[in-house]
Amino acid sequence: MRRKLKKIGAVLFLILMIGMVFLLGLVRIRPSSSESLATSNIMMNPVLDQKVLDLNKPVVDLSGWQRPSDIDYNTLSQHIIGAVVRVNGSYGHADNSATKDGEDKAFKEHIKNFQERGIPVAVYAFVTGKNETEMRKQARDFYRRASVYHPTYYWLDVEVTNMKNMNQGIEAFRSELAKAGAKNIGIYAQDWFLKDNKISTDKFNAIWIAAYGRNTGVWDASPETSLTYGMQQFTDQGKLPGYSGNLDLNMVIDQKNYAALFENGEK
């Protein structure tokens, strides 16, 4: 009798252990409701529904250096009125932010996440061509990669002197981009860089000026320029909820410029 009880006890113990393993497996497989909500619940930005925007809120510009996994897009989107996302990085070598052929590694996720939350998105290309042929290729790559997202503007980020005649190279990029189908094309640069390289802005639809003042993270100075610009990048030390690192922040000059730069998306 005692021996039988031991056998029965062993069987019952084995059944109990199997049952516990099965239950633990279910617990591991079933996602918690909070995690599910965090990934599926998309929060729209109600500020953008207002007819007159609060232009004290910034436009953020991002690239592959800001990893999507480090960003709470729901939170960040509540504190901005627009985004400019890099599509082309440097060509010729891969790094943590872009591939060897210049494609930004995070641009698709950045654009998708902002657009899902109602944030208008423009795009930019870091211009690095060393001759007209390279400039035109980079322009075609830029349009091919970005056009499917119907950005509000295409910006040329011009801050590296790669050609003796930079004006000729920049015009090759701009004209090839327009030929591909882009209608809203702007140039981003510092005033001194444009002057030193004799780059004309006449054929661009808009100018985005970089001028940091004391670079404190908040706007504190207008650019010293005679150019008519629509947006100013005023810091690379900005802080916003939703991302723990530093951000490039920009101020749109007025409602008219905001409408032109972010409410006139290309279809």
Side-chain angles (χ1 to χ4, degrees):
M1 182 69 176
R2 189 172 180 180
R3 192 172 295 172
K4 287 182 180 179
L5 287 174
K6 285 184 177 179
K7 290 182 178 179
I8 293 172
V11 171
L12 290 173
F13 179 76
L14 180 61
I15 292 172
L16 179 63
M17 292 300 295
I18 292 172
M20 289 179 66
V21 170
F22 178 73
L23 288 172
L24 287 172
L26 287 178
V27 170
R28 287 180 182 176
I29 293 170
R30 185 188 308 130
S32 68
S33 58
S34 61
E35 288 176 347
S36 179
L37 285 173
T39 56
S40 64
N41 187 27
I42 293 176
M43 294 173 59
M44 302 297 287
N45 185 340
V47 174
L48 298 177
D49 294 331
Q50 300 176 6
K51 291 184 178 179
V52 179
L53 283 178
D54 179 6
L55 295 182
N56 290 314
K57 288 183 178 293
V59 169
V60 66
D61 64 272
L62 299 174
S63 71
W65 293 112
Q66 291 80 40
R67 296 182 300 181
S69 59
D70 293 336
I71 298 174
D72 178 345
Y73 289 95
N74 277 337
T75 300
L76 181 59
S77 294
Q78 301 304 307
H79 297 274
I80 61 176
I81 57 174
V84 189
V85 175
R86 189 184 74 170
V87 172
N88 282 13
S90 296
Y91 278 66
H93 67 278
D95 57 31
N96 290 333
S97 72
T99 63
K100 187 176 181 180
D101 64 351
E103 181 173 322
D104 188 287
K105 293 180 178 179
F107 88 90
K108 295 177 182 177
E109 290 186 67
H110 286 328
I111 293 176
K112 175 178 178 291
N113 277 287
F114 283 128
Q115 288 184 337
E116 284 180 342
R117 290 159 177 80
I119 301 298
V121 177
V123 291
Y124 77 93
F126 183 54
V127 179
T128 61
K130 295 180 175 62
N131 52 59
E132 284 193 50
T133 299
E134 290 186 6
M135 288 290 195
R136 293 185 184 281
K137 181 187 183 305
Q138 290 185 17
R140 292 192 297 271
D141 288 346
F142 183 30
Y143 187 78
R144 172 177 52 80
R145 292 164 179 165
S147 60
V148 293
Y149 298 97
H150 309 294
T152 65
Y153 241 83
Y154 292 84
W155 293 98
L156 279 65
D157 176 357
V158 182
E159 51 186 302
V160 177
T161 304
N162 282 334
M163 294 176 58
K164 184 176 181 179
N165 190 334
M166 278 296 291
N167 187 60
Q168 185 175 330
I170 295 303
E171 173 53 22
F173 193 116
R174 188 208 63 80
S175 62
E176 191 70 19
L177 186 59
K179 180 181 177 182
K183 295 178 175 61
N184 302 326
I185 304 175
I187 185 169
Y188 161 95
Q190 296 184 66
D191 182 83
W192 68 264
F193 187 90
L194 295 172
K195 290 178 179 176
D196 284 1
N197 288 280
K198 298 180 174 59
I199 297 173
S200 172
T201 61
D202 293 345
K203 293 183 179 180
F204 286 94
N205 301 109
I207 299 172
W208 172 16
I209 283 285
Y212 289 178
R214 293 179 295 164
N215 200 16
T216 60
V218 297
W219 182 89
D220 65 7
S222 296
E224 294 183 3
T225 181
S226 60
L227 296 171
T228 301
Y229 60 95
M231 185 164 64
Q232 175 192 354
Q233 186 183 79
F234 61 85
T235 188
D236 62 0
Q237 301 293 313
K239 295 288 186 181
L240 290 175
Y243 182 71
S244 61
N246 293 332
L247 291 167
D248 292 346
L249 300 182
N250 309 271
M251 179 182 69
V252 181
I253 303 308
D254 54 32
Q255 299 287 338
K256 181 179 179 181
N257 276 286
Y258 181 84
L261 300 181
F262 291 101
E263 293 180 350
N264 189 23
E266 299 192 2
K267 303 301 182 183

